[in-house]
Amino acid sequence: MPILFTPIPTQTARHYQAGGADANGQRPERVLSDGDGNPCRHCLRFIPKGRGMLILSHRPFPAPQPYAETGPIFLCAELCDAPADRAAIPEILSSPDYILRGYGVDDRIVYGTGAVVPTDRIAAEAEARLGDPRVAYVHVRSARNTCYQLRIDRASAAEQPGPRT
């Protein structure tokens, strides 16, 4: 099953980059990247040392509810583009392992789908979770700090790479 690595939506990134309120109702903090692994959740690349970055609270769910975790993320302070190739494992997934967790169409955790997964197994493990009809999408989170990294979705037929007949 082809999968896509999904960043935060461009509209959401632009809101934060324009100084819009984060999930806690605060303006994002603007700092300079120290170049020590500051992953942008929109371009899915590391923010280079000395470049402006935002630190903010983000809730990667459509509405508050008991399972809608909110936490800190980094974002390029300047406009950045979402990745063109969403089928490739993004640069920001460079730690040895991550938490994968499946969510249903109701945006609630599907119990039994959460695990710490080695980075080289993320695609296969995400495909396995998305093979479960109860799972609508998968979140990838830091295994050390539990920070949200990105979402993994099933690729539609139109988004799948390769020739079409």
Side-chain angles (χ1 to χ4, degrees):
M1 163 192 324
I3 60 170
L4 298 174
F5 294 90
T6 305
I8 65 170
T10 298
Q11 180 179 354
T12 302
R14 298 299 181 254
H15 167 80
Y16 294 144
Q17 290 163 331
D22 69 7
N24 287 335
Q26 301 170 330
R27 289 179 58 103
E29 294 179 13
R30 183 179 280 266
V31 299
L32 293 179
S33 170
D34 61 9
D36 191 23
N38 300 306
C40 176
R41 286 7 183 254
H42 182 249
C43 66
L44 303 183
R45 301 183 63 81
F46 288 107
I47 303 166
K49 184 176 184 171
R51 292 295 260 312
M53 75 174 195
L54 304 176
I55 303 172
L56 58 108
S57 180
H58 180 67
R59 184 186 66 240
F61 297 92
Q65 43 97 350
Y67 293 89
E69 296 173 81
T70 301
I73 65 166
F74 302 123
L75 188 65
C76 291
E78 303 305 319
L79 302 184
C80 60
D81 294 323
D85 180 6
R86 292 184 35 222
I89 292 182
E91 174 182 303
I92 68 168
L93 296 183
S94 64
S95 288
D97 48 21
Y98 289 88
I99 296 169
L100 262 63
R101 190 180 306 136
Y103 291 83
V105 295
D106 60 356
D107 300 306
R108 293 178 181 246
I109 295 169
V110 175
Y111 284 95
T113 63
V116 176
V117 173
T119 302
D120 64 352
R121 297 274 315 143
I122 286 177
E125 294 288 337
E127 287 178 20
R129 283 157 179 77
L130 290 167
D132 181 334
R134 300 173 301 153
V135 174
Y137 58 90
V138 172
H139 276 184
V140 179
R141 291 182 170 268
S142 162
R144 295 201 181 34
N145 299 309
T146 69
C147 299
Y148 175 80
Q149 302 297 309
L150 53 86
R151 176 174 156 154
I152 299 177
D153 293 290
R154 292 175 188 90
S156 69
E159 296 167 315
Q160 292 179 18
R164 291 178 181 63
T165 55

